[in-house]
Amino acid sequence: MNTCWRSAAATGSTEGSTTRPYGRCSTSCPRSSRTPRDVVGGDIRTFAASRARARRPLSYRLPRMAAMVSFVLGVALLLGHLLRWSAVLPIPPSRVAFYAAIAAVTVVWELRRGSLGGRKGWLVALVVGLPVLVITDRLAGDEPLLDLPLWGTLLLLLPGLPYAVADARARKAASTVR
């Protein structure tokens, strides 16, 4: 009889269905060869901090997430200012829809699955954002909704700046420990 509910589910066996989900893994289970160091990693404090952040209630995670979305949007708009070399950036409806679609998918993903990461972020931009951008551009045209001044872009950066600095410092401290 299987003693691991995961190996029973993977093989389609009904034997393990009566066992507890927190039972000891059998040798056929892929989790049986994992050691505590494989799960936790080299730095126990970093693991504990990341687990505590992930287990925080939504009411505590939501302000950080909103601030980081604002920060990322501000960085993207700041790049638009720099590329146009202009103090005023016209914002068409397609760009608003593009950023709204990416932000919505990113927030939902992070609430359900954790961090999106770099490659998955670009994938979301291509799979979700680009079609929304093209459809909105075709339907609404490219007439600007508003002209965003540079100071408005900088205001979008402010809420997420402390979180971005704290994350950068934490990454730097983690890299010097190893």
Side-chain angles (χ1 to χ4, degrees):
M1 180 170 164
N2 287 328
T3 56
C4 177
W5 64 281
R6 288 188 188 225
S7 61
T11 60
S13 169
T14 57
E15 297 176 6
S17 62
T18 59
T19 61
R20 291 190 202 183
Y22 300 105
R24 188 173 162 266
C25 290
S26 65
T27 55
S28 64
C29 179
R31 292 180 26 192
S32 64
S33 62
R34 289 174 47 183
T35 65
R37 182 169 294 281
D38 293 337
V39 175
V40 173
D43 190 6
I44 294 172
R45 288 184 182 181
T46 304
F47 174 78
S50 68
R51 184 165 172 91
R53 273 193 308 272
R55 299 265 179 198
R56 290 181 80 184
L58 179 62
S59 60
Y60 291 117
R61 290 187 319 219
L62 204 57
R64 180 185 193 280
M65 204 176 314
M68 290 308 288
V69 166
S70 170
F71 181 77
V72 170
L73 180 62
V75 168
L77 291 172
L78 187 62
L79 288 174
H81 281 287
L82 291 174
L83 289 175
R84 289 180 176 264
W85 201 250
S86 170
V88 177
L89 186 66
I91 307 292
S94 57
R95 187 175 292 187
V96 172
F98 175 76
Y99 289 134
I102 290 175
V105 170
T106 302
V107 167
V108 168
W109 185 277
E110 288 196 7
L111 285 176
R112 303 294 295 161
R113 305 267 181 177
S115 180
L116 195 59
R119 290 185 189 145
K120 290 179 186 173
W122 283 105
L123 186 66
V124 165
L126 288 174
V127 172
V128 175
L130 200 56
V132 167
L133 177 90
V134 171
I135 290 170
T136 309
D137 193 40
R138 301 271 181 197
L139 293 176
D142 55 352
E143 181 78 23
L145 288 177
L146 64 123
D147 292 327
L148 184 69
L150 183 59
W151 61 266
T153 301
L154 296 176
L155 281 178
L156 283 172
L157 289 171
L158 286 179
L161 197 59
Y163 294 113
V165 170
D167 288 349
R169 286 181 180 173
R171 274 194 300 272
K172 185 177 179 183
S175 69
T176 58
V177 169
R178 293 179 187 172

